Amino acid sequence: MNRPLDLGTCDQFRAARHLDVLIPTRNRPAELAVTLSGLAAQEGVGGFGVVVSDQSDGEPAYAHPAAATMVRALRHRGHPVLLTRRLPRRGLAEHRASLLAASAGRYVLCLDDDVWLEPGSLRRLVTAIEELGCGFVGNAVHGLSYLDDVRPETHRHYEEWDGPPVPERVRPGTPQWQRAAIHPAANLLHVTEKLGLPPGTWRAYKVSWIGGCVLYDRAKLVDAGGFEFWRRVREKHQGEDVAAQLAVLARHGGAGVLPSGAYHLESPTTVTEREVEAWEVLLAEDDLPQPA
């Protein structure tokens, strides 16, 4: 019999840790359990916290016995976990804004609820952002069902940073925007295999945006506006992660990290109502001529 799960409290959780992981979830108990299991197996990054914010239609996903067990495993290994519900739903950006507000971590990892991280991934990301000093680093997610689907035409979009990343103004229709072609399917995995990096090494490469697993310098994310733009977009939107990353790129720069240890579970999306791309709305506003 699975005993009642301690949810934790916001006051107890909010502390000046080095790292917090922020996970929004909805109607995905099995996927959430897998995502939490990946975090529970991380080593070399001690004491990171985890916030799970649920917007499920019924029982919260973290109440499922498998997910609850992973919550207990994380706590047993010394990681504070806060379990919350954010209802009524006001859109993806508002959900991420509430998660960010629940944390006081120096770095925050925005991790989707359908991503498994292989051991060592978190340590590599933290090492990268500390060494690079940019606004964010990320691991693009691999879709292993595409492992035999090699797309060499996408590999040309891989370009490494020669030195620390610098701020970039990335917009649709530019060569920089096309960098995103390296991330779908298993493209990045194929690039990684071609490079043949020695064990324990990593590379920083240029991106337009990264989905699923992005580690931010919290202060730089907040400086770029965070996810507070949720009030400026319709509730039924997507692309809120793109919008935030474009803003951080413009002020502080960012990078993808290879190899990526992030694997997409390839479950059906729970974001079925997508009336607008948040980044399109914000770019249209920000690119308007300013009054004299």
Side-chain angles (χ1 to χ4, degrees):
M1 186 71 179
N2 198 29
R3 295 186 176 184
L5 184 63
D6 179 11
L7 303 183
T9 68
C10 293
D11 289 342
Q12 290 174 336
F13 181 84
R14 189 175 170 82
R17 280 180 293 274
H18 196 60
L19 170 67
D20 281 337
V21 181
L22 316 180
I23 307 175
T25 189
R26 180 189 175 209
N27 297 341
R28 280 180 161 171
E31 291 86 347
L32 178 62
V34 173
T35 298
L36 293 175
S37 73
L39 291 174
Q42 298 299 309
E43 295 181 345
V45 184
F48 62 84
V50 180
V51 189
V52 179
S53 181
D54 186 277
Q55 293 188 326
S56 296
D57 297 328
E59 185 179 54
Y62 52 70
H64 187 280
T69 295
M70 289 300 100
V71 169
R72 294 185 174 105
L74 280 159
R75 288 171 172 165
H76 180 66
R77 291 174 61 85
H79 302 292
V81 180
L82 173 64
L83 306 172
T84 67
R85 301 209 76 183
R86 189 68 176 179
L87 295 171
R89 294 191 296 274
R90 297 183 178 88
L92 300 173
E94 192 277 341
H95 201 187
R96 291 197 189 274
S98 70
L99 278 161
L100 184 60
S103 164
R106 170 73 173 82
Y107 298 107
V108 289
L109 177 68
C110 289
L111 184 65
D112 285 358
D113 63 351
D114 58 352
V115 177
W116 177 77
L117 290 181
E118 68 182 11
S121 300
L122 204 50
R123 178 173 55 189
R124 183 165 55 243
L125 285 169
V126 172
T127 298
I129 200 168
E130 290 177 338
E131 291 190 14
L132 296 173
C134 53
F136 72 83
V137 298
N139 272 179
V141 297
H142 305 305
L144 286 180
S145 69
Y146 295 86
L147 191 59
D148 297 326
D149 181 1
V150 181
R151 307 174 185 182
E153 70 278 5
T154 69
H155 298 178
R156 63 184 175 86
H157 297 292
Y158 176 76
E159 181 182 0
E160 293 183 2
W161 279 106
D162 182 14
V166 298
E168 297 182 283
R169 186 177 183 274
V170 177
R171 292 293 185 268
T174 65
Q176 293 90 339
W177 188 259
Q178 299 305 314
R179 297 169 183 168
I182 199 68
H183 289 157
N187 297 337
L188 192 62
L189 197 59
H190 297 142
V191 170
T192 306
E193 291 171 348
K194 285 172 59 178
L195 290 176
L197 299 179
T201 62
W202 55 272
R203 297 288 186 271
Y205 66 95
K206 299 179 180 181
V207 298
S208 53
W209 60 277
I210 304 171
C213 178
V214 180
L215 178 65
Y216 294 93
D217 181 310
R218 177 193 176 86
K220 292 174 180 175
L221 173 60
V222 172
D223 176 65
F227 296 95
E228 292 305 312
F229 58 80
W230 68 267
R231 298 176 178 85
R232 297 159 57 190
V233 298
R234 298 180 197 171
E235 177 183 320
K236 297 175 181 178
H237 63 262
Q238 65 175 4
E240 80 295 339
D241 49 351
V242 181
Q245 288 172 50
L246 292 178
V248 175
L249 276 174
R251 286 177 177 247
H252 304 288
V257 174
L258 180 153
S260 169
Y263 294 83
H264 191 223
L265 301 184
E266 301 188 53
S267 296
T269 182
T270 57
V271 184
T272 56
E273 297 178 299
R274 313 177 184 196
E275 296 179 353
V276 68
E277 292 278 0
W279 61 266
E280 288 184 338
V281 174
L282 299 184
L283 290 189
E285 293 178 359
D286 293 343
D287 289 345
L288 285 174
Q290 298 299 311

